Structure formats: structure tokens, C-alpha cells
Amino acid sequence: VTIRQANKLGLIEVKAPWQKTSGQESPVLFPATSAPLPTASATAAQLAQAPPTLVPTEPATQNLTTTPTIPTPSISTPTTEPSPTPAGWSLPDIAPFGSVGGEGLWETYLTLTNGEVVGLRTFLQPDADRPHTIVAVVAFNLKKVKLNYVLGSEEPALPDGPRGFGIIAAGDREPGKLLATFNGGFLATHGYYGAMSDGTTALPAKKWAGTVAIGDDGHVQIGVWGEDVDPTGDYAAWRQNGSMVVYQGEINERVYNGSIVTWGGNLDGVIVTWRSGLGISADKQVLYYLSGPAMSMPIMAQTMKSVGVHDGILLDINPYWVHFAAIRADGDGLKSEPLFEDGMDTQPDRYLRRSKRDFFYITASQ
């Protein structure tokens, strides 16, 4: 019996991954997005109509395979209790897709040493056909935090090309400064999408590709290289990973093509698998990380749009490679708390050590 069949037979009880902690409401410092959120009656099916694409056509890429899917995980609750009266920042709750209590309610997740809220999280149950698909969403206040990108010691890279060090900068590895780590994109052979950090270009940029770019001044852009992202700009880092998923507030119609060549899949050739993505709000003040199991590309795109992503790209896919951890102070050291307790529990501190694969991390901006 497959997971999908078990759900239809009522053999799997889908539960909320966490309960919303009381006393977490805080004033909105700025709008989350200019795009309207779905109403309380909205469903995943109502979002299934794909608008005309606004994204340049990409060339064919190689078939993407890594590891098979695994059962649905649960999501851990941070061991560090949030402040009873956290300072500063919140976002409008999201209309739920499913029936799991607490869905779409933002919860305090990451704070500065003074208690100011800079990161929120929620979960959604966006796929009516796969109720076990629980998508975790983490939102960062870009007025208060900085996005950083690290090239892995082995990937991405050309066979004889330059490589990164795979290590977080020493000055950022401090309790209270390092807040979170999360995965990068595909292996080089799965698209040869451009990647650069600290002046080292591991892979040259592709003009049509969706790109997250970090300026020398710390500002974050997500868009099409050569159109929205200026190739002549001054950047600390940039990473590409295929076509845009959501572009200028609209879903790219290519997400409905079911192509493993375009979007990747598992070893069995199945496109429904663990997926992660990165998006930004229309005002470029909120950065969103999304991840979850048994996710199709339409569901990824629809979830991005529902939470307020104006421009978004796919990151890595499949079990193990999709990974997010909150970084907590542990005395004078650091500890990693994976977002998904059962799906991200293998080597949760992988990015606190030297990593063969590329990754992103979040630091307090001051």
C-alpha cells in the first residue's frame, strides 16, 4: 500500500506538525506582499489554473536523479522557548487549504539576542490528493537579517573548474549571529546552473535561468538573469537553479508540464518528491524558504504564491538534500535544530562543518 493509497483508506492520520504558541502576536512592521492572499474558501484546485508564462524558455537539461522518497516526517518544535512578548514583526495569517488545526498561522521561530522577531514559520496542507504533503514555510525579515551563500568543496563545479571551501565565515559562526542554514541547488551535472560566491565563479551564469543574487550591500534579488538580475552588477554571490517557478506574481506555466528533465525527480523517475524553494515578496523585504515531502511542482508554485512570494525559484530536491536547520546558542557553541524532525534528522549540523554541497545561511544583519 502506497502512502497515497493509505491516506485514501484513512490508514494515516495527518496531524498538525506543531501547535501555535500563545502570546506570539506582534504588530506588522511592513506589508508582506502586494499580492492578494487566497480567501478562507480558497482551495488548491481553485489555484490550479496556470496563467500565461512570463518566463523565457530554457534549453533541455539532463535527467535528474538522486534518492527515492521516504515517508512523511513530523516537524520539530524548537527547544528554545520564544519570548512571551516577542518584539517587532509578524505577517498576516494564510487561509488554510486543508483541515489540520493551526495551518497557516505564523509562529515566532527566530529571534535576535534582544528578543526581536526576525523569523516566522507556518505549515500548509496544500494538496487535496496528497493530504500527507505538509509544506513548511519559513519567513525572514530582510530588514534585520542577511542572506549568505557558500560554494561547496565539491559542488557545484566543472570537472576542472574552481571550487569553494564549503565553510561558513568564521566571523558569522557566533551564537546570536548565525540564525539558520539551508540547502542550495542541483548538482552541476543536473543543469550546469550558474553559481558564484566571494568572487569565485564555479559555474557560468545562464541568461534565461532563475537566479537568487546577493548584492555587495546585502540586498537580495530573485529573478531572470539578464532581465531582472543585471549581469554587470556588484554581487557577493548568486545561484541559479532552472526556470522561475513564480515570476512577477504569476505561476510559470512550465510547472504543469510534469517534466523530470525540467524539474528533477527521484531514482524511480517520479517528479513528486521532497522539494525546496526560495522566494521573495514584491517589496523585497520578506524572504521565504519552503520545503516538504511528496510535493509536485504545481503544488510548490501554488504554495509559493499563496504565502506571498512574488518571485521564486526551485532549490534542491529529494530526501536528505532538502535540509533546513535553525541555529541555536548552546553555551558558547552552536547547535542545529532541523525543521523536520523525521525528515531532516540525518546530519542536522552538516552546514556547521565543511560541506561538499553548496548552501545558504542567515545571519543577523547587525
Side-chain angles (χ1 to χ4, degrees):
V1 178
T2 65
I3 293 177
R4 187 172 181 179
Q5 290 169 333
N7 272 283
K8 288 187 176 181
L9 292 172
L11 301 178
I12 296 178
E13 182 182 2
V14 181
K15 297 180 180 180
W18 59 72
Q19 296 297 319
K20 182 176 175 64
T21 305
S22 61
Q24 292 182 338
E25 292 74 18
S26 54
V28 177
L29 298 185
F30 50 83
T33 175
S34 59
L37 296 175
T39 64
S41 61
T43 65
Q46 288 174 305
L47 295 173
Q49 295 298 320
T53 181
L54 298 174
V55 187
T57 301
E58 69 180 277
T61 60
Q62 298 182 31
N63 192 26
L64 308 179
T65 59
T66 47
T67 55
T69 55
I70 60 175
T72 305
S74 60
I75 304 179
S76 63
T77 300
T79 58
T80 302
E81 292 295 327
S83 167
T85 55
W89 181 64
S90 68
L91 296 173
D93 290 333
I94 304 163
F97 291 92
S99 57
V100 178
E103 180 187 1
L105 303 180
W106 289 107
E107 172 181 300
T108 297
Y109 188 40
L110 301 168
T111 61
L112 302 181
T113 54
N114 64 1
E116 185 174 3
V117 179
V118 295
L120 305 169
R121 71 174 181 178
T122 190
F123 71 92
L124 294 169
Q125 189 188 17
D127 193 337
D129 291 332
R130 299 180 182 88
H132 57 285
T133 301
I134 299 294
V135 181
V137 186
V138 181
F140 303 98
N141 181 350
L142 286 176
K143 288 186 176 181
K144 299 293 182 178
V145 303
K146 180 182 178 183
L147 178 66
N148 306 268
Y149 173 68
V150 176
L151 293 170
S153 62
E154 295 184 7
E155 283 284 347
L158 295 170
D160 299 319
R163 287 166 169 74
F165 294 103
I167 299 174
I168 294 174
D172 291 338
R173 296 174 58 89
E174 298 292 335
K177 184 170 186 180
L178 182 59
L179 302 175
T181 61
F182 58 90
N183 60 273
F186 291 161
L187 294 169
T189 55
H190 297 158
Y192 290 98
Y193 302 123
M196 184 278 286
S197 180
D198 293 329
T200 299
T201 300
L203 295 171
K206 294 192 173 187
K207 182 178 180 180
W208 54 267
T211 308
V212 54
I214 305 168
D216 282 340
D217 60 359
H219 79 277
V220 178
Q221 293 177 265
I222 298 180
V224 176
W225 184 267
E227 297 188 17
D228 312 291
V229 182
D230 182 0
T232 66
D234 295 323
Y235 300 110
W238 40 261
R239 178 57 151 113
Q240 302 179 321
N241 209 58
S243 292
M244 298 292 293
V245 176
V246 174
Y247 186 54
Q248 298 180 359
E250 302 294 343
I251 294 174
N252 177 6
E253 68 177 11
R254 292 179 66 87
V255 304
Y256 298 92
N257 66 14
S259 170
I260 193 171
V261 173
T262 305
W263 304 112
N266 64 25
L267 284 172
D268 296 324
V270 178
I271 198 171
V272 177
T273 185
W274 273 87
R275 293 187 177 276
S276 61
L278 194 65
I280 198 167
S281 61
D283 60 10
K284 295 180 172 54
Q285 297 303 310
V286 186
L287 185 72
Y288 299 93
Y289 173 88
L290 300 88
S291 64
M295 204 187 318
S296 67
M297 282 307 302
I299 291 299
M300 167 66 82
Q302 292 157 15
T303 306
M304 277 187 171
K305 188 172 180 181
S306 74
V307 303
V309 170
H310 189 260
D311 296 287
I313 63 171
L314 180 68
L315 292 180
D316 216 349
I317 68 171
N318 289 320
Y320 184 81
W321 303 118
V322 175
H323 194 274
F324 182 104
I327 306 301
R328 311 292 186 185
D330 185 18
D332 294 331
L334 301 169
K335 64 178 179 180
S336 299
E337 291 185 348
L339 182 60
F340 283 85
E341 186 176 44
D342 296 332
M344 297 180 176
D345 55 331
T346 303
Q347 294 184 327
D349 62 345
R350 66 185 68 179
Y351 301 132
L352 295 182
R353 298 177 281 112
R354 187 173 187 179
S355 174
K356 295 180 181 180
R357 297 284 296 267
D358 65 319
F359 64 94
F360 293 89
Y361 67 93
I362 298 289
T363 53
S365 57
Q366 296 180 350

